[in-house]
Amino acid sequence: QVQLVESGGGLVQAGGSLRRSCAASGRTFSTYARAWFRQAPGKGRELVAVIDWRFANTYYGDSGLGRFTISRDTAKNSVYLDAASLKPEDTAVYYCAADDVLRDISSTTFTSWGQGTQVTVSS
């Protein structure tokens, strides 16, 4: 089991930028991929971005294309999500996830989840 702790987030003005961090502990040696998801009020959870933990290949969901960048630091067991030109529609609870099963990088199935933290973009 992997434990994920997220940081960053909060309130930001439209047009601003933000960095989210997610640190992992526990059985991190078995991680194949890490990802960020988000869930806006009244909507389902959607994939923002995925990064292959071994090779750093990345995949972006529709919500993450263009303004979001996922990266990792294997020495710190951490994954990051940088967002630029934020819009009010980016307001959501953002979740960090990890997968210890080797799957296609576009898969939305993950085995461990963070608790989620709120990002609010004001207009």
Side-chain angles (χ1 to χ4, degrees):
Q1 189 75 14
V2 174
Q3 291 77 46
L4 302 171
V5 178
E6 300 148 358
S7 59
L11 179 64
V12 62
Q13 288 190 329
S17 60
L18 195 65
R19 162 165 275 207
R20 307 296 317 284
S21 301
C22 176
S25 60
R27 294 175 56 90
T28 58
F29 59 87
S30 61
T31 297
Y32 284 102
R34 300 274 291 274
W36 288 95
F37 287 76
R38 73 183 188 183
Q39 186 166 15
K43 296 186 178 180
R45 188 175 297 185
E46 60 180 0
L47 175 68
V48 179
V50 182
I51 189 164
D52 181 296
W53 196 247
R54 298 165 298 164
F55 305 116
N57 299 331
T58 58
Y59 174 85
Y60 291 87
D62 291 341
S63 63
L65 284 171
R67 297 181 295 110
F68 290 81
T69 302
I70 189 170
S71 61
R72 72 176 187 1
D73 184 332
T74 56
K76 295 181 179 180
N77 279 320
S78 293
V79 64
Y80 307 97
L81 184 68
D82 291 297
S85 302
L86 285 162
K87 303 175 181 180
E89 50 264 44
D90 293 319
T91 294
V93 177
Y94 284 73
Y95 297 89
C96 174
D99 200 1
D100 59 5
V101 176
L102 182 61
R103 312 178 206 265
D104 186 90
I105 196 170
S106 64
S107 171
T108 57
T109 301
F110 283 77
T111 52
S112 300
W113 292 85
Q115 78 281 7
T117 52
Q118 179 72 42
V119 172
T120 301
V121 183
S122 63
S123 58

